[in-house]
Amino acid sequence: MVEGLENVIFVTEDRPADGSLDLLGLYEGTALTDRGQYGFGELPDRIVLYREPLLAAAEGDLEVLRDEIHVTLVHEIAHYFGIDDDELHRLGWA
């Protein structure tokens, strides 16, 4: 469990809507740093892992797949907390 994660669901889908294999995951929602009042009844944010792109990136290696999933989850959770791609690259998570 990650401290501070609230009202977030994690889902898997086969591929992104465009059908590409380039995107491994996606954060859909409003980052904590961009939220005003977060009220009752809000739909949850979503973190999506794309199965086929992750499998393609791993090229059949289970250990590589685990690493890709881990890095993708850290990356998308960071977006929830308001960390952008530039900062993630600087930190080595992109």
Side-chain angles (χ1 to χ4, degrees), residues 8 10 16 32 38 56 73:
V8 179
F10 293 82
L32 288 180
Y38 197 66
L73 283 171

Side-chain angles (χ1 to χ4, degrees), residues 14-16 19-24 50-62 64-66 68-69:
D14 287 338
R15 286 184 183 210
S20 74
L21 292 176
D22 298 329
L23 189 63
L24 303 180
Y50 295 112
R51 186 180 60 81
E52 291 176 10
L54 284 163
L55 289 171
E59 299 179 340
D61 186 318
L62 188 56
V64 171
L65 178 60
R66 286 185 185 124
E68 289 290 349
I69 291 170

Side-chain angles (χ1 to χ4, degrees), residues 7-37:
N7 205 30
V8 179
I9 61 171
F10 293 82
V11 297
T12 59
E13 295 179 2
D14 287 338
R15 286 184 183 210
D18 68 2
S20 74
L21 292 176
D22 298 329
L23 189 63
L24 303 180
L26 180 66
Y27 168 68
E28 297 176 329
T30 303
L32 288 180
T33 54
D34 295 333
R35 290 184 185 170
Q37 178 100 13

